[in-house]
Amino acid sequence: MTKTFRMLAATAAFSALAFAAQAQDKVTIGLAVANLQADFFNQIKESVEKSAKEQGIEVVTVDAKGDSATQVSQIQDLITRQVKALIYIPAGATAATVPVKAAKEANIPVVTVDRNPEGAPGDTFIATDSVAAAKELGDYVCKVSGGTGVLAIIQGQLGTTPEQDRDKGFSEAMKNCPGIKEAGRQASNAWMQDEGFAIAQDMLQRNPTINIFFGRADALALGAAQAAKVGGVTDAIIVGFDGDRAGLEAVKAGTLKATMTQQTQGMGRLALKSALDLIKGEKPPAEQLQPATLTTADNAEGFIKEHP
């Protein structure tokens, strides 16, 4: 009995040590998302979590709901939990550098996605090549409008990477299309549809000749489409950016003329891979820019069925 008892005790002790070692080796990654109300961010979250589950990796996801101060606090909590790496989608330009600096002080590598804090970039930055994509969208607008029209732009959050890059690319296209005159632009605070509606409605009241809208996100473009309908503007060319599910459905239905579909699923997988590479001491490229696809009624259905 004594020998058997000792064997059982030794086996139990070995199992406990093995379990402790396994727990110690378990990789936990923090995922700080700007706002899960936005389908774009939700798709990235879904992709990261799905890929992590397939690899036995734990992901702790926090949602800032668009508030920078909340996000700073959430990321401090992730640092306290000693996550091995941080995947970070800034909630805005305000205080965006704080989480990166805090994580790096704790020797936690940072993968920034979609937005890269100026002055404190992530170890690698993953995003759509929004300059090239927005230029392609602008060229398309010039083509389908016949090169003439009155343009209104509903901007995203000022100071954020997507807003700056989309402005740069679209402006390049408009330089080659002098027949389109910009009537005005106004920034949103959170890229939301209700903001797009209110801004577009105000623009149309001030200038009823507007017949082209560029919403810097699909939600903003959908708000503009709603305002155009209410205002009796039936022939407006309205384009968005993102390739959100609602945006794709609107393109298919003809409510939006076009959008640029971003590779949200691919970006999520790449973000996780980059985080794991950084944990292993490998150095991914400083920038990993992905192409977007001009999406019209001709090809929207394919992206609705399977998002890239």
Side-chain angles (χ1 to χ4, degrees), residues 31-43:
L31 172 60
V33 184
N35 190 350
L36 287 177
Q37 285 184 295
D39 181 62
F40 173 75
F41 297 133
N42 249 315
Q43 289 198 40

Side-chain angles (χ1 to χ4, degrees), residues 119-141:
D123 294 290
T124 184
F125 172 51
I126 297 168
T128 294
D129 187 346
S130 288
V131 176
K135 183 180 184 308
E136 184 178 1
L137 182 64
D139 289 339
Y140 173 78
V141 168

Side-chain angles (χ1 to χ4, degrees), residues 64-136:
K65 298 181 180 178
D67 184 71
S68 293
T70 298
Q71 190 168 57
V72 169
S73 177
Q74 289 174 336
I75 291 177
Q76 189 57 59
D77 288 341
L78 291 173
I79 292 170
T80 301
R81 293 181 64 160
Q82 297 182 323
V83 295
K84 298 295 185 184
L86 173 66
I87 299 173
Y88 173 38
I89 307 174
T94 306
T97 63
V98 176
V100 177
K101 292 177 180 177
K104 289 189 175 181
E105 284 176 8
N107 295 316
I108 296 172
V110 180
V111 177
T112 48
V113 180
D114 188 55
R115 306 167 180 184
N116 207 18
E118 187 175 352
D123 294 290
T124 184
F125 172 51
I126 297 168
T128 294
D129 187 346
S130 288
V131 176
K135 183 180 184 308
E136 184 178 1

Side-chain angles (χ1 to χ4, degrees), residues 257-292:
K257 190 70 173 177
T259 187
M260 297 301 298
T261 300
Q262 303 192 74
Q263 299 182 25
T264 48
Q265 297 295 316
M267 287 164 65
R269 291 189 296 270
L270 182 59
L272 181 66
K273 179 183 182 300
S274 298
L276 295 174
D277 286 344
L278 287 164
I279 291 169
K280 290 184 288 187
E282 299 175 10
K283 289 192 69 174
E287 279 193 343
Q288 302 186 75
L289 299 182
Q290 311 299 305

